[in-house]
Amino acid sequence: MSQATLTRRGFLKSSAAMGAVAALGISAADSLTAVDPAHADEAGEVKIIKTSCRACIASCAVLAHVRDGRVVKIEGNPESPMSQGGVCAKGLAGIQALYHPNRNKYPMRRVGERGTNQWERISWADALTEVATKINEVSDKYGSEAISVSTGGGGNPHFSNVKRFGEAINTPNVWEPGCSQCYLPRMGASLLAYGAGKPNNLSFSDSNGWDYYYTDSPVTSLVLWGTDPSNSSVATGGRALAELRNRPEGLRTVVIDPRYTLDAAKAEVWLPIRPGTDAALLLTWTRWILENEKYDEEFCRTWTNMPYLINPETRLTLKATEAGLPGTDEDYVIWDPASNAPVVVTYPFNEGVAAPLFGTFEVNGMQCPTGGQLLKESCEEWTLEKGAEICWLDAGQIERALEIYTDPNGQSGIMQGVCIDQYVQSQQCALGALNLEFLMGNVEKPGTMLQKFAPAPCKDQLGNTPRLLSKEKVMKRCGTIEHKGILCWDMAHIPSVFKAMKDGDPYQIHMWIERSGNKHVVLGNSSCLDEIVPKLDYVVQCFMYPTAFSVLCADLLLPTTEWLETNLTIPQLNTIVMRQAVTHLFETVEEGIIWTQIVQKCAELGNEHCPKAFDEAACMTTPFYKNEYEKQKQHLNKLEMSWEDACEQGVIQWATPEEYRTYQTYLAEDPENPGKPKGFGTPSKKLEVYCESNIILGRTGAPWSQCAEEAPLVLPPASADYEPLCYYQEPAESPLTDTEYPLVLTEGRLPMYHHGTLRNIPYLREIYPVPEMWIHPADAEKYGIADGQWVNIESRRGKTHGMAHVTTAIAKGVVYQERFWAPELLDSDDPAQAYKVMNINVLTKNDPPYNPEYGTYTLRGFQVKVSPSDDEILDSVWVRPEQFQPWMPAPSDATEDVFDYGA
Ligand code: SF4
């Protein structure tokens, strides 16, 4: 096979053989150009180890084939209920990731200036002592809040460990981009409006819609709102959707996306919406459903707060005491049309009272609207015509989509993707979509998105936050008095942390401990790091590979394990899927252990706060595990199995599908209130169409603010009330007014990469070597751009590049590009180009306006201009397969673990 003819198919078929070739000592250069079947056949016995992939959040169960101690093949494990034996290109790339020649192999200390990429190898003992000494010094001199800790998302299994680490070293300034920009706005809105208890939101690829993994689900149609599972979660959500479509009854879909995606190609209606206008379309849908009386009136009356009266002075639900009725200040009030008077709600509902959903009624001298009335008023102006005009859509097509969604003979649901989390209206869009589902009664019925299936008997990867921070420290968390939604995950607001780092406002942050790949790729307006990092005394990065962030910012690099070297448990429908270390290379350490070791070392060196992290009473929940053995015990705490037995089994079925699929849990009897249904997890036990919990969050921080002394901790109010209903706000940079930057930019995912990772995998880069910039033919002609040509893309914050893909698969006036990095430029004279040359996040916006609740900034739906490019730097970008030879798998033997993991 020649270099030129090495194809994607060849990669997928031969990746296993490649591992074997490298193990046999054939050079990396040879292995890119030829597979020697004779040598491959000579190898020894193959052992198959059950584990699970972690190249993306889906955690597909896989079988790792190991020959002579080396992983030579990965294939899907058919026992997995979600992937059912499927595995995608990212998963197959696990071998190239594991044996990548450019891994972080040992702790490394910077010896030259930042940016010069000069390092010396040091021991783990020295590395830990150095980090712990710095933590203790900064804490003593400036206060522990002067240390910032960050991590990466994408379902990062160590997310909770990073939060714990922050609490252990006594800093409130822990953050992760996903808290404001991905997932949390959708989840937070659900927690407030639908109520506590997981899973509970409209995110299919990330956390819910489990009913759709069963082909007997009665779902007949789905609305894919800014989500493309066939592209972003190929082996799981995409596979499940394909099977639903393949049933005799099929599956009708509506896709709302500016791009003609894989799922759009299979949809009955494609709505190529203008990026940044989703809230306008949600309001248009709401008005149409109300006007055409398509909603489930009985469900709305019984199980939502639509009939509840609202106090116009407090903006909260009217209580009996305020209405002058007998009852308490916790009793809700509805209007009784028979007596033409207000009455106190008798939970769950007042028999024989047909409380109106709409209308305004005089109570105790106040004009009190119902929650439903306020919903109706919020969407009054949003006719089909107005929605079409603002969203750049066709009114007839919007109506066609609505007819599919509201078909009385079918069961539908809305899946919301990450796109709505990536601009200022994140919370509003999540509340708007939830309200559509509530109106239609699409809640916990067979075939709906919103379900609370039986919880898995194993550790919750995102929970168990110890409460070790004092009130004083919590009050110092950057940006969370204004943006209290992020307190749901006890995180700080990124632009506020950066302000503290750069300007010392409200205090100077001196140290940054970062665990993820490349913050230059994922953060909005990431060039701002150029000004921020010189203000920091000390920066630590933990990751598997050096990145632009390592070269430009880090003082110390700590090497972490790849997924084939890691142990974990993953709940997956009615099973638990095991991840077990298949091998171990160099001095890499699983990051959970790194956090623990640092905290232990800080304590050893005299830090008085750190010992609390290992004290069950102080943590109030599970303390930090001290070693790998304790971690395994914690993860299997409810399974009553040994780690070895669980690994042997690989996929553990803890319930039958029938036991797992528990519908209408809100109707089950409430053990604390015999004879009454449990209801939903909101204060009223009703679905909050009028989301007063959002107002309360902004005013007090409840239900998420907490500290060591108080839970809930009452915080000062935000500068303005958070709104209880969806509303529309035109993007700050808008094509309606911008003549200098005339095109709207949107971004998205690719099936061969996950977040900022995997761009260093040679075969994945062969499939997709450089980022495409999609542009409509009419726009391409206007700006003189030809298909396949390099282009400049510029915003008010910077300039980057992409390769033009001229296509009608993108709405006119819109351009799309995937976020990217160019690690092959790390050793160039200007390593900053490694993140600037093809990275859309040097264009994105991290300045106000922000989403009020989560502080979300603008990663999509802002203005750019494009032009043909002949910039010289583009000649250095690797495009041809042979250029990726330096990254081919290298021979490397398994090594002992670095630390004693206990027994
Ligand atoms: S979808 Fe692909 S990358 Fe994600 S877990 Fe499954 S095999 Fe791995």
Side-chain angles (χ1 to χ4, degrees):
M1 195 186 300
S2 74
Q3 286 175 355
T5 58
L6 183 66
T7 62
R8 174 179 12 190
R9 178 180 300 206
F11 157 50
L12 298 174
K13 281 172 72 177
S14 65
S15 56
M18 287 297 179
V21 166
L24 290 163
I26 297 171
S27 76
D30 288 337
S31 68
L32 189 65
T33 55
V35 175
D36 183 340
H39 280 87
D41 289 347
E42 269 173 25
E45 194 186 331
V46 169
K47 189 174 163 200
I48 295 179
I49 299 177
K50 293 177 177 176
T51 187
S52 60
C53 175
R54 175 58 188 89
C56 86
I57 185 173
S59 298
C60 299
V62 297
L63 304 172
H65 294 231
V66 179
R67 181 189 288 146
D68 298 332
R70 190 171 173 95
V71 186
V72 294
K73 178 178 173 180
I74 289 169
E75 64 177 334
N77 182 348
E79 289 170 29
S80 162
M82 285 177 74
S83 54
Q84 298 184 7
V87 63
C88 77
K90 301 187 289 274
L92 293 174
I95 295 174
Q96 294 203 344
L98 178 70
Y99 298 115
H100 199 285
N102 200 27
R103 284 193 67 179
N104 286 332
K105 302 180 176 80
Y106 315 100
M108 304 288 277
R109 180 192 286 139
R110 178 173 62 77
V111 290
E113 291 295 305
R114 281 183 185 147
T116 59
N117 206 10
Q118 296 175 65
W119 306 88
E120 66 175 353
R121 178 180 170 181
I122 59 173
S123 69
W124 266 103
D126 286 351
L128 291 172
T129 303
E130 183 170 311
V131 182
T133 304
K134 295 277 184 196
I135 289 172
N136 290 355
E137 276 174 10
V138 171
S139 302
D140 291 345
K141 201 163 167 191
Y142 308 109
S144 47
E145 63 276 9
I147 305 165
S148 176
V149 181
S150 61
T151 184
N156 172 8
H158 292 289
F159 190 90
S160 61
N161 271 321
V162 179
K163 292 199 299 181
R164 283 158 178 250
F165 178 71
E167 298 232 0
I169 64 168
N170 206 16
T171 178
N173 288 319
V174 178
W175 52 275
E176 188 271 318
C179 297
S180 296
Q181 314 294 148
C182 168
Y183 189 64
L184 182 55
R186 275 173 294 164
M187 194 186 91
S190 292
L191 286 171
L192 296 173
Y194 178 25
K198 291 193 281 184
N200 60 8
N201 60 48
L202 297 179
S203 163
F204 176 56
S205 296
D206 292 339
S207 67
N208 212 345
W210 303 138
D211 208 52
Y212 306 146
Y213 283 91
Y214 301 92
T215 49
D216 65 353
S217 170
V219 63
T220 55
S221 72
L222 282 171
V223 177
L224 280 64
W225 199 303
T227 184
D228 185 25
S230 299
N231 192 46
S232 61
S233 47
V234 183
T236 51
R239 181 204 58 75
L241 280 191
E243 293 205 14
L244 291 173
R245 287 189 185 104
N246 282 344
R247 300 173 305 176
E249 65 272 34
L251 179 75
R252 305 171 79 194
T253 52
V254 170
V255 167
I256 299 167
D257 199 309
R259 285 195 298 150
Y260 191 63
T261 56
L262 290 180
D263 280 312
K266 298 183 176 78
E268 210 161 305
V269 178
W270 170 44
L271 298 178
I273 190 170
R274 166 161 72 99
T277 64
D278 302 77
L281 190 60
L282 286 160
L283 290 162
T284 304
W285 279 38
T286 308
R287 178 189 156 129
W288 188 92
I289 286 169
L290 293 178
E291 196 176 22
N292 292 282
E293 297 184 358
K294 297 285 187 183
Y295 55 94
D296 183 336
E297 187 174 351
E298 203 41 48
F299 180 81
C300 291
R301 179 170 294 116
T302 314
W303 285 110
T304 76
N305 68 359
M306 283 176 74
Y308 287 17
L309 294 173
I310 307 300
N311 183 329
E313 289 161 15
T314 63
R315 304 189 71 205
L316 305 177
T317 42
L318 183 74
K319 301 300 178 337
T321 44
E322 297 163 341
L325 295 172
T328 71
D329 56 8
E330 291 187 352
D331 288 329
Y332 301 90
V333 179
I334 52 174
W335 190 259
D336 177 8
S339 60
N340 210 22
V343 293
V344 170
V345 172
T346 316
Y347 181 79
F349 44 81
N350 303 44
E351 287 287 354
V353 176
L357 301 180
F358 309 105
T360 300
F361 305 93
E362 185 171 330
V363 181
N364 218 5
M366 296 180 286
Q367 291 296 316
C368 298
T370 62
Q373 177 65 24
L374 291 173
L375 175 73
K376 195 173 175 184
E377 289 171 12
S378 73
C379 59
E380 204 125 45
E381 64 179 304
W382 290 98
T383 59
L384 284 176
E385 291 68 31
K386 176 155 184 185
E389 182 196 330
I390 293 296
C391 303
W392 292 355
L393 295 170
D394 177 88
Q397 289 294 89
I398 299 176
E399 191 159 35
R400 239 186 101 203
L402 275 158
E403 279 160 2
I404 293 172
Y405 176 57
T406 61
D407 181 353
N409 300 315
Q411 176 57 59
S412 195
I414 296 178
M415 300 173 168
Q416 253 182 339
V418 71
C419 70
I420 64 118
D421 294 331
Q422 297 199 330
Y423 71 100
V424 173
Q425 292 225 271
S426 54
Q427 172 89 335
Q428 286 70 49
C429 292
L431 287 176
L434 282 166
N435 271 351
L436 293 174
E437 292 284 81
F438 296 166
L439 284 171
M440 297 306 297
N442 290 343
V443 181
E444 298 188 15
K445 289 193 293 196
T448 63
M449 265 298 297
L450 292 173
Q451 300 290 354
K452 285 198 169 84
F453 287 173
C458 78
K459 186 178 176 291
D460 172 5
Q461 293 176 10
L462 287 180
N464 295 324
T465 307
R467 292 215 310 266
L468 299 178
L469 294 180
S470 66
K471 182 173 177 178
E472 185 214 337
K473 292 288 175 193
V474 170
M475 297 295 281
K476 287 183 173 171
R477 185 177 273 135
C478 290
T480 50
I481 298 299
E482 193 61 20
H483 307 294
K484 296 187 175 70
I486 339 174
L487 294 174
C488 183
W489 282 350
D490 304 305
M491 294 278 168
H493 178 231
I494 299 170
S496 304
V497 170
F498 281 4
K499 196 165 169 227
M501 287 179 174
K502 180 168 161 279
D503 303 330
D505 178 14
Y507 50 83
Q508 182 66 46
I509 289 181
H510 290 267
M511 181 172 174
W512 182 359
I513 306 176
E514 149 66 358
R515 177 275 165 215
S516 75
N518 194 352
K519 284 287 184 266
H520 286 93
V521 171
V522 299
L523 291 174
N525 186 25
S526 59
S527 303
C528 71
L529 291 174
D530 294 350
E531 284 185 85
I532 288 168
V533 171
K535 305 278 179 77
L536 297 169
D537 302 341
Y538 191 66
V539 180
V540 182
Q541 189 193 24
C542 313
F543 198 51
M544 292 90 78
Y545 317 95
T547 68
F549 184 90
S550 323
V551 174
L552 297 167
C553 309
D555 301 303
L556 184 74
L557 295 179
L558 299 179
T560 56
T561 47
E562 261 291 342
W563 61 266
L564 282 159
E565 303 169 287
T566 306
N567 293 313
L568 205 67
T569 52
I570 299 114
Q572 207 171 83
L573 303 185
N574 57 318
T575 68
I576 288 169
V577 171
M578 299 300 293
R579 177 168 306 141
Q580 59 174 314
V582 175
T583 185
H584 179 252
L585 304 182
F586 314 112
E587 289 192 0
T588 60
V589 175
E590 187 250 293
E591 67 170 279
I593 302 293
I594 297 178
W595 302 123
T596 307
Q597 295 281 335
I598 294 174
V599 176
Q600 278 176 328
K601 183 55 78 175
C602 287
E604 228 176 277
L605 296 177
N607 187 311
E608 288 174 7
H609 186 84
C610 287
K612 292 183 194 168
F614 303 96
D615 174 350
E616 198 155 344
C619 286
M620 300 190 191
T621 58
T622 328
F624 243 146
Y625 47 77
K626 293 194 184 72
N627 53 38
E628 179 66 24
Y629 175 71
E630 277 197 5
K631 180 185 90 172
Q632 293 170 3
K633 253 188 5 189
Q634 264 189 30
H635 277 249
L636 286 181
N637 57 2
K638 295 183 197 151
L639 265 188
E640 292 177 4
M641 286 179 95
S642 72
W643 183 264
E644 290 70 27
D645 288 348
C647 287
E648 182 70 29
Q649 222 166 302
V651 178
I652 300 148
Q653 184 169 318
W654 53 267
T656 64
E658 294 69 36
E659 289 163 342
Y660 171 64
R661 293 164 81 185
T662 48
Y663 300 107
Q664 294 185 308
T665 58
Y666 60 96
L667 294 180
E669 187 175 89
D670 184 352
E672 288 168 20
N673 203 355
K676 301 274 187 188
K678 216 162 51 172
F680 296 98
T682 58
S684 63
K685 302 185 182 183
K686 300 290 178 83
L687 298 170
E688 290 196 10
V689 167
Y690 180 83
C691 192
E692 70 170 333
S693 288
N694 206 34
I695 301 180
I696 293 166
L697 172 69
R699 291 180 187 172
T700 68
W704 297 325
S705 57
Q706 58 173 358
C707 64
E709 301 96 329
E710 294 168 41
L713 164 67
V714 179
L715 296 173
S719 58
D721 262 353
Y722 299 164
E723 290 302 312
L725 290 161
C726 179
Y727 59 90
Y728 178 63
Q729 179 182 344
E730 182 65 24
E733 290 183 7
S734 161
L736 307 185
T737 49
D738 201 330
T739 48
E740 195 184 346
Y741 294 86
L743 297 165
V744 193
L745 186 134
T746 188
E747 56 171 296
R749 292 181 188 174
L750 292 166
M752 63 291 285
Y753 303 118
H754 184 56
H755 290 203
T757 65
L758 297 174
R759 270 66 173 199
N760 59 344
I761 301 301
Y763 288 128
L764 297 181
R765 283 293 290 276
E766 187 201 344
I767 297 169
Y768 192 94
V770 294
E772 292 175 348
M773 186 210 67
W774 290 22
I775 184 166
H776 192 276
D779 293 322
E781 191 183 344
K782 191 167 170 188
Y783 300 108
I785 289 166
D787 192 45
Q789 177 179 28
W790 278 113
V791 288
N792 304 312
I793 317 168
E794 293 169 81
S795 77
R796 288 184 169 78
R797 290 150 294 280
K799 172 182 167 185
T800 194
H801 306 90
M803 192 166 276
H805 177 46
V806 179
T807 172
T808 52
I810 185 83
K812 227 186 276 182
V814 180
V815 291
Y816 151 84
Q817 183 161 314
E818 196 263 352
R819 58 192 172 187
F820 210 71
W821 63 318
E824 60 269 24
L825 296 173
L826 281 179
D827 292 325
S828 73
D829 293 341
D830 181 8
Q833 291 299 338
Y835 83 89
K836 285 187 176 163
V837 71
M838 297 186 290
N839 171 22
I840 217 70
N841 276 320
V842 300
L843 309 183
T844 49
K845 238 171 97 56
N846 65 349
D847 58 339
Y850 302 124
N851 174 257
E853 292 87 351
Y854 298 92
T856 312
Y857 50 61
T858 306
L859 294 178
R860 306 180 189 226
F862 61 91
Q863 296 305 111
V864 297
K865 61 184 176 188
V866 298
S867 57
S869 183
D870 54 8
D871 288 347
E872 265 177 34
I873 186 71
L874 297 166
D875 297 337
S876 315
V877 174
W878 293 354
V879 177
R880 298 182 308 280
E882 64 270 24
Q883 291 176 303
F884 298 102
Q885 273 187 354
W887 287 346
M888 289 300 289
S892 36
D893 292 330
T895 57
E896 291 297 312
D897 286 331
V898 180
F899 300 115
D900 175 10
Y901 284 163

